[in-house]
Amino acid sequence: MFAGVSCWLLYLGHGTSFVLSEHSVAFLSYIAEHTVGADSVKDFIAQDIFLKYMTFSADIVLFLLGTTGIVEVLNNNHCFDFIREWLVTRSPRRFLWMLSGLTFLLSANLDNLTTVCLMLSIMHSMISGDRLRMVFGSVIVLSASCGGAFTVIGDVSGLMLWERGLVTPTVYAAQLVLPCFVALLTVNLLVARKLPDRLEFVSTAALPYRGDDRMLPRVQRMLLLLVGIGGLWFIPTFHRITHLPPFVGALCVLSFLWVVNELCNHSLLGSDKMVRKRHPMALQYTNIQHILFFIGITLLVGAVCETGAFRNLAEWSIGPAGRIYVGSIGLGALSALVNNVSAMVSGIFLLDIPGEISTGGSEYAVNGNFWMLLSYCTAMGSALLPIGTFAGFSLMRLENVTMGWYLRKMSGKVLAGWMAGLLCFYLLAL
């Protein structure tokens, strides 16, 4: 955020030259309709340039707040307790496939950071042995990256592309689901070869006191889960019908789920137990950091884009169809170091430039291969290192995973999965 704000302050310092070189026609129209003064350039930047980046950022942030609220309501009513029941098995390989499969499906509906926090807490409470928890935790992060990459609501990357009108939900999912699945399948096959023969669970001889977490019966918890997940799937349809921004659909689903939640918990409305259930804090702090980071990245990349630096790079980037693979892989490798959100925002602002898209051919048009490939490569590239995503940072903090251990045990497997999925994408695109 500091870098983003600083870049805009530097931009204002040289605002006249940037505005005249990049927005000369729009600026002349602006001063023709407004009183010319010493601050005309600053007013134009604030109203016609800066505001569009903040609007883009605000749309994403409001959507994330809505979906985070939905997950909080579900988690606070223990609607995800069913996952623990489904994961009970003594076979490490079966546990691996069930864990990665459930994470893959959940992250396609919830945002992948929330999914990772949820699945890590469940896995940690079940598995005995630090080494196994590190392996399974790494698989959770990768599964969430793959699952979140093939739907527009599963990750900020797909959501940004959808918000900019660069992809449509159905085509996006149809084109990416198989490459993401192949990538996850490859990594799981490599991980399964090194697993022990038997899985040891944490002893459950003396269960801790669970307090009021079983207040709702299974039927009501299942109802809340279906309303929440079904509502998230309905958001693209809501957008297609109403043409309102996606965050409106997310807030609509959240409000409806909240009403159902109040009805299910009506007997607790006047008790102190309901007060505690209305204020879950387990996931909020991490998501707020994620949101603030996204705002800072949007400001930073937007300021650089407005200098015209991206235009020169875009002229080189738009070329033969094969070049989209080079550019996407490069941004994917970059995302391992600077976070997948940073790489995705850079890629979108780099090529989503008026006039450039129309000359770049079908690869850069709506639902073009480049946007799908960019999303896939930044998702997989960010999993090469644990510092590539917020989910990876959560893994390092919760399971004490070190950079050296991840490089030795997981990075090679992730790279193999990335290349396998990339080959699948290339064959489908022929």
Side-chain angles (χ1 to χ4, degrees):
M1 290 187 69
F2 176 78
V5 173
S6 298
C7 283
W8 277 103
L9 292 177
L10 291 172
Y11 180 86
L12 283 173
H14 300 82
T16 302
S17 60
F18 290 140
V19 166
L20 292 178
S21 63
E22 299 295 319
H23 303 279
S24 57
V25 176
F27 180 64
L28 291 175
S29 300
Y30 176 83
I31 60 177
E33 300 174 358
H34 297 78
T35 303
V36 179
D39 294 330
S40 295
V41 173
K42 293 180 181 178
D43 292 339
F44 176 77
I45 292 173
Q47 298 176 27
D48 288 50
I49 299 178
F50 180 78
L51 195 58
K52 71 176 182 180
Y53 292 102
M54 284 309 302
T55 301
F56 170 68
S57 180
D59 282 348
I60 304 295
V61 167
L62 287 172
F63 185 91
L64 291 175
L65 288 175
T67 54
T68 301
I70 292 169
V71 176
E72 285 292 330
V73 172
L74 297 178
N75 187 57
N76 204 34
N77 285 284
H78 302 275
C79 297
F80 299 112
D81 281 3
F82 302 106
I83 297 174
R84 186 189 302 273
E85 300 171 10
W86 297 334
L87 287 175
V88 176
T89 176
R90 287 292 181 182
S91 170
R93 290 168 180 80
R94 185 181 302 168
F95 184 85
L96 170 71
W97 290 105
M98 293 171 63
L99 181 71
S100 61
L102 286 170
T103 305
F104 184 80
L105 294 175
L106 279 176
S107 61
N109 297 277
L110 317 177
D111 82 277
N112 51 10
L113 175 61
T114 300
T115 302
V116 167
C117 292
L118 174 68
M119 296 303 291
L120 282 178
S121 64
I122 292 175
M123 183 275 299
H124 186 90
S125 65
M126 296 179 66
I127 301 300
S128 175
D130 294 339
R131 291 296 177 183
L132 272 182
R133 285 203 297 264
M134 292 165 70
V135 172
F136 286 134
S138 300
V139 171
I140 287 173
V141 172
L142 176 68
S143 302
S145 296
C146 292
F150 82 89
T151 64
V152 295
I153 62 173
D155 187 67
V156 177
S157 300
L159 182 59
M160 286 189 290
L161 293 173
W162 185 30
E163 282 279 0
R164 302 285 283 191
L166 299 173
V167 298
T168 56
T170 304
V171 176
Y172 183 85
Q175 194 161 345
L176 284 180
V177 61
L178 190 56
C180 290
F181 178 76
V182 168
L184 179 60
L185 178 67
T186 303
V187 175
N188 278 357
L189 289 173
L190 295 173
V191 171
R193 297 169 56 214
K194 301 293 184 179
L195 293 177
D197 296 328
R198 183 176 174 82
L199 198 62
E200 296 296 331
F201 288 120
V202 174
S203 175
T204 56
L207 291 174
Y209 175 66
R210 295 182 61 89
D212 64 336
D213 61 352
R214 293 290 186 180
M215 283 296 174
L216 291 182
R218 291 177 64 91
V219 173
Q220 290 184 339
R221 283 185 285 137
M222 183 61 73
L223 172 63
L224 285 169
L225 185 62
L226 291 176
V227 171
I229 300 297
L232 288 170
W233 271 102
F234 177 72
I235 291 174
T237 303
F238 178 91
H239 172 68
R240 186 167 59 250
I241 293 173
T242 64
H243 295 268
L244 293 172
F247 77 82
V248 181
L251 296 179
C252 178
V253 174
L254 174 60
S255 61
F256 180 72
L257 177 64
W258 209 313
V259 171
V260 177
N261 174 58
E262 296 284 310
L263 293 175
C264 291
N265 288 282
H266 69 279
S267 61
L268 302 176
L269 290 180
S271 69
D272 60 340
K273 294 180 179 179
M274 192 60 185
V275 173
R276 291 197 298 272
K277 293 188 72 173
R278 281 177 169 172
H279 296 279
M281 302 301 292
L283 302 176
Q284 290 181 5
Y285 293 128
T286 303
N287 277 287
I288 288 174
Q289 292 176 29
H290 193 194
I291 287 170
L292 293 176
F293 177 84
F294 172 76
I295 293 174
I297 287 296
T298 304
L299 293 177
L300 172 62
V301 179
V304 175
C305 181
E306 286 300 323
T307 64
F310 277 2
R311 183 173 297 278
N312 296 328
L313 189 56
E315 291 175 356
W316 175 88
S317 300
I318 296 178
R323 191 175 291 175
I324 68 172
Y325 290 88
V326 177
S328 298
I329 292 174
L331 286 170
L334 179 66
S335 67
L337 300 173
V338 300
N339 192 283
N340 62 325
V341 177
S342 309
M344 175 58 77
V345 172
S346 300
I348 292 175
F349 287 169
L350 170 65
L351 288 172
D352 185 20
I353 300 174
E356 300 294 338
I357 295 299
S358 60
T359 61
S362 61
E363 301 289 352
Y364 303 93
V366 176
N367 289 325
N369 286 336
F370 175 77
W371 307 117
M372 316 294 182
L373 193 59
L374 178 63
S375 181
Y376 171 76
C377 286
T378 53
M380 293 303 300
S382 64
L384 284 175
L385 296 175
I387 61 173
T389 59
F390 279 94
F393 278 113
S394 299
L395 173 67
M396 295 175 71
R397 184 176 65 253
L398 295 175
E399 299 300 338
N400 297 317
V401 171
T402 63
M403 184 72 71
W405 181 91
Y406 195 92
L407 281 170
R408 293 194 310 272
K409 301 294 185 180
M410 293 301 301
S411 293
K413 299 178 177 65
V414 173
L415 181 60
W418 181 7
M419 293 300 108
L422 192 62
L423 176 61
C424 178
F425 183 93
Y426 176 77
L427 295 175
L428 291 174
L430 288 178

